[in-house]
Amino acid sequence: MDLRADVAASSSAQASVVLAPVALPSIPVRQVDLVSFGAVGNGTQLNTMAFAAAIAAVAEQGGGRVNVPAGIWLTGPIIMRSRVELHLAAGAIILFTPDRSRYPLVQTTWEGNSAVRCLAPISGSNLEDIAITGEGVIDGSGDAWRPVKKDKLTESQWRRLLASGGVTDDAKRLWFPSESPRLGYENSALRNSPNKADQEKARDALRPVLLNFVNCRRVLLEGVTFQNSPAWCLHPLLSEDITLRRVTVRNPWYAQNGDGLDLESCRRVLVEHCNFDVGDDAICLKSGKDAEGRKRGRPTENVLVRDCVVQHGHGGFVVGSEMSGGVRDVIVERCTFLGTDVGLRFKSTRGRGGLVERIRISDIRMLRIGGDAILFDLFYMGRKAEGAEVIPPVSPETPSFRDIHMTRIVSVGARRSALIQGLPEMPIQDIVLEDSSLEGTQGITVVDTKGLLLRRVEVKASEGAPVSFANTADSRTEDLSLATPAAGPLITVSGARSSKLQFEGKGALQDGYVGVSKEVPAGVVTRKP
C-alpha cells in the first residue's frame, strides 16, 4: 500500500461536514410583567407562585413573554411551558432559594444514567418553542449544595470556608454546607437505593443541574448570565434545535461538577459568542453512559460551536466521557481557551462503547493550558496496564474515535502540546492536525493511533523530543518545524506494534532526526525530503 496515497485519500474524505440549520423558537408577541402576579424583587420574598402564575397566564393564551424587571427575585423551581419566553431586563437577578427542601426529588438522569435527583431550578419536559433571554442574571445558589475539596483552595480560603459554618468529612479534606449533604454523599447505598425513604435521607446530596430541558424542541438562550449552579449548569437532554447566543456561564473554579454546558443526546445545536468560566468542563458533548447510553442510541450530532471564550475549566471543548450513544458531525471554530486545564479534550474508556466521528476544529487559540492543549484519552478514569498487557477483543463496549480534523490550532504555554492515546484493540483513527503551532514544556505524544497526519505543524518543546510515537501505524508527518533544547532526536518511535510511519520534509533525512527503539520492527520508518 502507498502510504502517501492512503493518507491523502483519508484527508480528502474528511474535507467537510455539512450541518443542517438550527430552527429558532416561535413565540407570540403577547407579554405580561412578573410584578402583575404579586412578585416582589427585594431578594427576600419568595416568588415561586408568581413565576408559575405568570408563565401559566401566557401559556394558556397560546404563549408569550414573561418580563422580569430589575430587582432580585428570590424563587423556588421554575417550570417552563411551551411557547413561553422568560425575559430578564438589565439589572434583573433571578435568585433560586438556598432552601434545599424546596426542590423535590424527581426521576431524571445524572452523568449519563437514569437517576433520582432534586428538581432542577429551571426545568421543562416535552416542550416546544421556549426561550430565556435578556441581560439579567440567573443564580442557582450552588454554594448551598456543593461540597468543596480542600486541595482546590488555598490555606486561607479553606480557613475562611470552615469559619463560615458547615461540616467536614472525618479526614477534614472535604467540606459540606451541612450535615445532611455529608450523610448522602458518604452513603452511596442511600443515594442509589430504590427506596424513597432512603432517597429522602440522601436528598441534599442529590444536587440538581441549574437548567434541565428534556425532550424539548426549538430552545433559545440568549444574553443571560447563568451562574453558581448546584451541579452542572446547562443540561439540554434528548432535545433538538438549541441555540445559545451571547450567554455567559460562570461557576467558581473549585465548583464540584461545575460544568458549563452539557449537551446530551441532542441534535441541531448552535453555540456562538458565549463566555464560560467554570469549575469543570466548559462546552461538553455527551450521549449517555455505558449500556444505558448504548441502548438509548441517541448521538449528539449536528453541532456548531463558534466564537466562544473559555477562561477556566477542566476542558475548553470536550467530548465524553459519557458518549456511549455517539457524537458526530460537529464543527468548532474561532474559539479561545485561557488557562483551562485541557484545551481540546476527548475522553472515554473501555466499557463505554459509542462512536465519535466527523469532527472539524479550526482557528483555536490557547494560552497557558495547565495540562494538554490537545488530549485524546481512552483510558479516562483508568490506568493503562504496565508491562505486558492482555488486549481485550473489540466488542460493543469498545469506544471508537475517528475522522477528526484540526487546523490552525495555536497553543502557547501548555504543559504538553498534545497526547493522542488510543486503545491497543481500537486505535484512534484518521486524525489530521495541520497548519498549527504548539509550544509547551512537552511536545506531542502519540500512542495506539492509526492514520494520523501531521502537516505543516510547528512544535516547540522545552523538554524531550517534540514528537513521540508509540505503537502507531499508517501515519505520516509532512513539513514539520521541530525545536527543543534537549539532546536527542526530534522524533522518537517505540513499540513493537508500530508500523508504516513516514516522515518527510526539510531535515527529515538528517542524522539524529528520528530515534527508533530496538523493539520496533525493521522497515517501519521511511523518510523523504
Side-chain angles (χ1 to χ4, degrees):
M1 178 182 67
D2 184 335
L3 181 62
R4 177 192 293 271
D6 182 62
V7 173
S10 174
S11 181
S12 175
Q14 297 175 356
S16 64
V17 167
V18 178
L19 302 183
V22 179
L24 289 168
S26 177
I27 297 173
V29 296
R30 184 180 298 107
Q31 299 187 42
V32 300
D33 291 326
L34 184 66
V35 292
S36 300
F37 296 85
V40 177
N42 61 5
T44 59
Q45 177 170 314
L46 197 65
N47 295 295
T48 312
M49 298 303 294
F51 274 102
I55 290 170
V58 291
E60 290 167 6
Q61 296 181 67
R65 170 188 280 189
V66 175
N67 287 313
V68 182
I72 302 178
W73 308 93
L74 183 68
T75 183
I78 294 173
I79 299 176
M80 295 291 288
R81 294 179 60 173
S82 291
R83 292 172 293 282
V84 171
E85 175 184 358
L86 195 63
H87 182 80
L88 284 69
I93 302 172
I94 295 177
L95 176 63
F96 285 99
T97 175
D99 181 356
R100 297 185 296 268
S101 69
R102 299 278 181 174
Y103 304 85
L105 292 175
V106 295
Q107 184 66 46
T108 181
T109 68
W110 174 242
E111 295 186 331
N113 288 145
S114 297
V116 172
R117 307 286 290 186
C118 289
L119 178 66
I122 304 175
S123 67
S125 297
N126 305 307
L127 305 180
E128 296 184 345
D129 301 305
I130 51 177
I132 301 176
T133 64
E135 301 175 62
V137 175
I138 296 176
D139 189 297
S141 291
D143 44 355
W145 295 85
R146 296 188 303 265
V148 178
K149 293 180 178 179
K150 181 179 180 180
D151 61 9
K152 291 189 175 182
L153 304 181
T154 66
E155 282 297 326
S156 62
Q157 289 172 332
W158 180 250
R159 287 195 298 269
R160 286 197 298 271
L161 183 63
L162 295 181
S164 71
V167 298
T168 66
D169 64 348
D170 292 339
K172 300 189 183 303
R173 306 293 301 178
L174 190 62
W175 175 91
F176 298 89
S178 66
E179 183 62 36
S180 180
R182 171 183 165 167
L183 173 66
Y185 186 91
E186 294 182 341
N187 194 326
S188 60
L190 289 179
R191 292 200 312 273
N192 300 320
S193 172
N195 184 281
K196 290 186 178 181
D198 289 341
Q199 294 166 3
E200 282 295 338
K201 292 177 183 177
R203 69 178 317 283
D204 287 351
L206 301 175
R207 295 173 287 136
V209 301
L210 174 56
L211 179 149
N212 186 211
F213 289 152
V214 182
N215 196 30
C216 293
R217 300 179 61 189
R218 295 182 298 278
V219 177
L220 171 65
L221 306 178
E222 183 171 29
V224 175
T225 295
F226 297 87
Q227 67 177 36
N228 198 16
S229 57
W232 297 349
C233 199
L234 307 178
H235 182 210
L237 170 66
L238 293 163
S239 295
E240 301 180 357
D241 293 302
I242 302 164
T243 300
L244 277 74
R245 183 178 294 136
R246 297 192 304 278
V247 166
T248 297
V249 181
R250 292 193 303 224
N251 272 327
W253 68 269
Y254 55 81
Q256 192 72 11
N257 309 115
D259 294 28
L261 169 65
D262 290 278
L263 294 163
E264 183 174 354
S265 296
C266 293
R267 62 170 63 105
R268 294 189 302 277
V269 181
L270 171 63
V271 181
E272 63 178 354
H273 302 291
C274 294
N275 193 295
F276 297 83
D277 189 346
V278 296
D280 208 310
D281 291 331
I283 305 167
C284 193
L285 310 188
K286 301 177 180 288
S287 60
K289 184 177 180 181
D290 298 345
E292 188 172 327
R294 295 193 298 274
K295 182 178 179 180
R296 180 199 294 167
R298 281 281 300 272
T300 287
E301 59 186 334
N302 204 109
V303 178
L304 172 58
V305 178
R306 63 188 179 193
D307 301 302
C308 293
V309 176
V310 180
Q311 303 194 45
H312 290 96
H314 290 183
F317 170 78
V318 182
V319 174
S321 69
E322 305 95 76
M323 39 58 69
S324 301
V327 175
R328 64 193 182 198
D329 299 321
V330 177
I331 295 175
V332 182
E333 58 188 12
R334 300 191 304 271
C335 291
T336 301
F337 307 146
L338 302 171
T340 56
D341 294 349
V342 177
L344 300 168
R345 186 182 193 191
F346 299 82
K347 51 182 176 174
S348 188
T349 191
R350 288 170 174 151
R352 289 283 191 269
L355 172 61
V356 175
E357 64 177 346
R358 297 196 299 270
I359 296 180
R360 305 292 177 263
I361 303 173
S362 63
D363 299 293
I364 307 298
R365 287 88 43 184
M366 295 182 268
L367 185 63
R368 292 188 293 274
I369 303 301
D372 298 289
I374 301 169
L375 175 62
F376 291 81
D377 180 11
L378 268 65
F379 285 90
Y380 179 68
M381 299 296 287
R383 187 169 67 88
K384 185 168 178 161
E386 299 295 335
E389 180 182 5
V390 176
I391 300 175
V394 173
S395 75
E397 297 183 356
T398 307
S400 177
F401 286 68
R402 70 188 187 195
D403 191 1
I404 299 170
H405 192 163
M406 298 169 284
T407 186
R408 295 186 299 279
I409 311 297
V410 178
S411 172
V412 176
R415 182 182 62 82
R416 178 167 52 192
S417 289
L419 171 62
I420 303 174
Q421 168 78 71
L423 296 170
E425 69 273 22
M426 180 60 74
I428 294 171
Q429 299 185 52
D430 301 326
I431 305 296
V432 176
L433 175 63
E434 61 184 354
D435 298 318
S436 297
S437 177
L438 307 174
E439 183 276 326
T441 304
Q442 300 174 36
I444 297 175
T445 298
V446 183
V447 185
D448 287 318
T449 298
K450 182 178 181 180
L452 172 72
L453 172 60
L454 301 178
R455 177 193 286 141
R456 296 185 299 274
V457 178
E458 179 182 42
V459 184
K460 296 180 180 179
S462 56
E463 297 178 2
V467 180
S468 298
F469 294 96
N471 293 320
T472 297
D474 299 330
S475 296
R476 181 164 63 97
T477 70
E478 177 184 328
D479 295 328
L480 299 188
S481 175
L482 307 177
T484 178
L490 296 175
I491 296 176
T492 64
V493 178
S494 62
R497 297 194 306 276
S498 293
S499 67
K500 296 180 181 176
L501 300 177
Q502 184 169 295
F503 308 130
E504 59 182 84
K506 183 179 179 181
L509 298 181
Q510 294 180 356
D511 292 340
Y513 186 80
V514 180
V516 181
S517 297
K518 60 182 180 180
E519 77 277 6
V520 177
V524 163
V525 173
T526 61
R527 295 190 282 170
K528 295 185 177 182

